[in-house]
Amino acid sequence: MNQQTLQEIYPTSSLHSFPTINEDYLSIAVAHGFLWIPKESLSLSEEKLLQSMTNTDLTNNLHDEKYDHPWYAALFFNEVIPASKGSFRLIQFEYHTLEKNELLSLQEE
């Protein structure tokens, strides 16, 4: 299910660049971020269904070789931080709209 469809079904949802730890929301990974859906707008069965769909996708994605970096799971799935020592570089940026070729280049980097 794509982001647009989910936002049509749950109009009170909002798109963010990171998952939430607020237990009042269900965070669902979508193509360009995370959709936060207020749990008050979900029935128990909807919440379980969306979680099972998301967990399956995340589990499958973690086994994809491009997600094998030790920091990926820590940054995106709140898993244990790797026990690494040394220097680290943090690159942060904000964009509003990228052309398809720019997005592909950015993903490759």
Side-chain angles (χ1 to χ4, degrees):
M1 193 173 296
N2 67 28
Q3 171 192 333
Q4 182 178 355
T5 304
L6 286 170
Q7 286 186 296
E8 287 172 6
I9 295 170
Y10 303 106
T12 57
S13 64
S14 55
L15 183 65
H16 299 269
S17 60
F18 52 90
T20 181
I21 58 171
N22 184 335
E23 294 188 11
D24 293 334
Y25 293 88
L26 177 66
S27 279
I28 297 178
V30 291
H32 298 289
F34 293 85
L35 194 62
W36 296 10
I37 303 173
K39 287 185 178 180
E40 66 184 19
S41 65
L42 298 172
S43 69
L44 184 58
S45 60
E46 286 175 307
E47 186 177 340
K48 286 182 178 182
L49 177 63
L50 289 169
Q51 283 178 333
S52 70
M53 290 171 55
T54 302
N55 289 341
T56 300
D57 290 344
L58 296 179
T59 302
N60 290 340
N61 285 345
L62 281 174
H63 296 294
D64 191 339
E65 66 184 49
K66 69 181 179 180
Y67 299 107
D68 282 344
H69 193 280
W71 279 93
Y72 189 87
L75 293 172
F76 293 101
F77 302 109
N78 292 328
E79 292 191 9
V80 177
I81 295 174
S84 301
K85 294 185 179 185
S87 299
F88 298 94
R89 179 178 15 184
L90 175 67
I91 300 172
Q92 183 175 358
F93 63 93
E94 181 178 344
Y95 65 90
H96 298 281
T97 305
L98 291 176
E99 298 294 323
K100 186 173 183 173
N101 61 343
E102 294 171 321
L103 181 59
L104 293 174
S105 296
L106 182 61
Q107 288 172 337
E108 286 176 16
E109 291 300 319

